[in-house]
Amino acid sequence: MRHIIKVVNPLGVKDTVTTKYMRQNEIFADAFNYFVYGGEQVINPESLEELDTREIDVPYGGEKGARQPVQKTRDVIKSVIAMMDKRTAYLLLAIENQSNIHYAMPVKNMVYDALQYAKQVEEAITSHKMSGDYKGSDSDEYLSGFMKADHLLPVVTLVIYFDSKEWDGPLSIHEMFAGQDARVLALVPDYKINLLSPASIEDEDFGKFQSSLKEVLSFIKYAGDKDELKKVLDADESFRHLGREEVDVLNACVGAKIAVKEGEEAIDVCLAIQQMNEEAAQKERISTLFVSIKNLMEKMGWSAEQSMDVLSVSDSDRKALWKLLK
């Protein structure tokens, strides 16, 4: 008989749940409103329109001149019309979810953004060709295909790090160069990444979030410190009815192990953590009692029942111990 073993890739699970979570317009907008506008509600979730996450770079000259087009897939990218100081801004916003530190993140993001700009140029060229509006343009405009009056939409990529550790990877291309002459680096354009890392968020700044991203990131920040995490959970009533997708992110990214019943959409995280702690304490108590009982049985020659009587073991603990002593 053949046995089929299903192997689950933990990184794949993390990517799936974080992308699903960040794809929600409310969460997506909240991340950028916090990072770009300091919590001011500039980007309206309803104004977001999801775009194709695939980026294909076709070099100028069309398909015949592109023997090996480059294709990359972003996590989430959306277009938005944002209003700031009574001015309209057309933007392309993208999010890259990271559950682990990527030590070449500046290069990764630079490629994604460059492909998006190349795509915009190609779309402009195609548009001019279809409309036939090259008449009256000078030779330079005609040859480049991109007119003097054409403009690009800014692409802002935000990296969200779903881990409690400090990000110790490079934040720019220049940080990835070693021992270079400053005169040379002055001629090399730097490329910096926009990073949202829970460990670097000040406690008072979590209040600038308007969605469940506040609870998710604050939980992640203190996931490794039980005492601080308990303070955070006790101080925020929102943790008593966190959504299933939020809990999926916490379970996958920081191993929260919060139990979710089938069909349950709102989870009391505080209660779940309390029950987990109680279960952990019970396991530790049972383990300690088991060792003590075995020692008494071996050294004193007593039965398991006599050993439990001497140790004043409760009825509930006896049931658990009998399973181990069988």
Side-chain angles (χ1 to χ4, degrees):
M1 180 182 293
R2 295 178 61 190
H3 297 277
I4 299 176
I5 300 175
K6 185 177 180 181
V7 179
V8 178
N9 181 356
L11 290 180
V13 173
K14 292 177 182 179
D15 289 342
T16 299
V17 297
T18 54
T19 299
K20 181 181 180 183
Y21 177 61
M22 292 308 307
R23 181 168 280 134
Q24 301 174 79
N25 280 1
E26 179 188 4
I27 309 300
F28 189 97
D30 197 23
F32 278 98
N33 280 330
Y34 168 82
F35 193 87
V36 180
Y37 302 108
E40 185 179 348
Q41 300 302 288
V42 174
I43 298 173
N44 185 340
E46 296 179 359
S47 69
L48 292 166
E49 182 178 346
E50 189 154 349
L51 304 176
D52 190 344
T53 58
R54 292 169 298 176
E55 305 288 6
I56 301 178
D57 177 24
V58 181
Y60 299 164
E63 294 182 1
K64 292 182 179 180
R67 296 178 184 176
Q68 293 182 328
V70 180
Q71 179 170 322
K72 301 288 184 181
T73 304
R74 285 183 180 270
D75 288 337
V76 189
I77 183 169
K78 297 175 185 278
S79 63
V80 63
I81 302 175
M83 293 296 294
M84 187 67 179
D85 299 329
K86 297 182 179 180
R87 291 180 298 174
T88 303
Y90 296 87
L91 308 169
L92 295 181
L93 306 177
I95 283 180
E96 290 299 315
N97 303 309
Q98 288 296 132
S99 53
N100 295 84
I101 298 172
H102 195 309
Y103 290 99
M105 202 71 209
V107 174
K108 180 181 178 182
N109 277 12
M110 183 172 66
V111 170
Y112 282 149
D113 292 350
L115 290 176
Q116 176 54 235
Y117 288 127
K119 181 179 179 181
Q120 291 185 46
V121 171
E122 284 299 318
E123 288 176 346
I125 293 172
T126 300
S127 176
H128 289 309
K129 286 180 179 178
M130 290 180 65
S131 62
D133 59 0
Y134 280 123
K135 295 179 181 179
S137 62
D138 61 33
S139 59
D140 291 330
E141 287 181 303
Y142 181 79
L143 290 173
S144 69
F146 195 80
M147 311 285 273
K148 261 190 283 189
D150 289 334
H151 297 286
L152 296 174
L153 297 182
V155 179
V156 181
T157 299
L158 177 59
V159 178
I160 302 184
Y161 180 44
F162 288 91
D163 199 282
S164 58
K165 296 186 299 184
E166 292 279 355
W167 178 280
D168 63 358
L171 297 175
S172 71
I173 290 289
H174 277 199
E175 289 182 33
M176 299 179 69
F177 299 132
Q180 292 293 332
D181 189 321
R183 293 168 295 182
V184 173
L185 285 182
L187 301 175
V188 179
D190 199 1
Y191 184 89
K192 299 179 180 180
I193 65 171
N194 303 306
L195 177 69
L196 182 54
S197 171
S200 63
I201 300 176
E202 299 293 337
D203 289 348
E204 58 269 21
D205 287 337
F206 281 108
K208 296 177 181 178
F209 291 102
Q210 303 298 315
S211 72
S212 63
L213 200 56
K214 171 189 175 183
E215 288 74 45
V216 169
L217 296 181
S218 59
F219 187 106
I220 290 175
K221 178 176 181 177
Y222 294 111
D225 188 329
K226 290 184 178 180
D227 293 335
E228 286 299 322
L229 180 59
K230 186 178 185 307
K231 291 179 183 178
V232 170
L233 296 180
D234 292 343
D236 192 341
E237 192 68 23
S238 298
F239 281 107
R240 298 199 175 275
H241 42 82
L242 212 58
R244 189 185 187 94
E245 290 187 349
E246 286 79 1
V247 172
D248 285 344
V249 170
L250 298 179
N251 285 342
C253 294
V254 292
K257 298 180 181 178
I258 300 170
V260 179
K261 298 176 183 178
E262 187 174 350
E264 187 178 21
E265 294 301 325
I267 298 92
D268 187 335
V269 174
C270 301
L271 179 60
I273 295 294
Q274 180 183 339
Q275 291 173 341
M276 285 169 53
N277 290 337
E278 290 174 355
E279 289 173 4
Q282 182 185 18
K283 286 182 180 179
E284 186 175 351
R285 185 176 65 255
I286 295 298
S287 178
T288 301
L289 284 171
F290 176 76
V291 172
S292 298
I293 291 169
K294 292 293 287 184
N295 286 337
L296 289 174
M297 291 172 67
E298 292 174 5
K299 294 179 180 179
M300 305 299 294
W302 295 342
S303 67
E305 189 71 37
Q306 290 173 319
S307 300
M308 289 190 213
D309 288 340
V310 169
L311 294 173
S312 301
V313 177
S314 67
D315 291 340
S316 59
D317 285 347
R318 288 183 186 231
K319 291 180 181 179
L321 285 164
W322 276 120
K323 294 179 181 179
L324 297 175
L325 290 166
K326 285 181 180 179

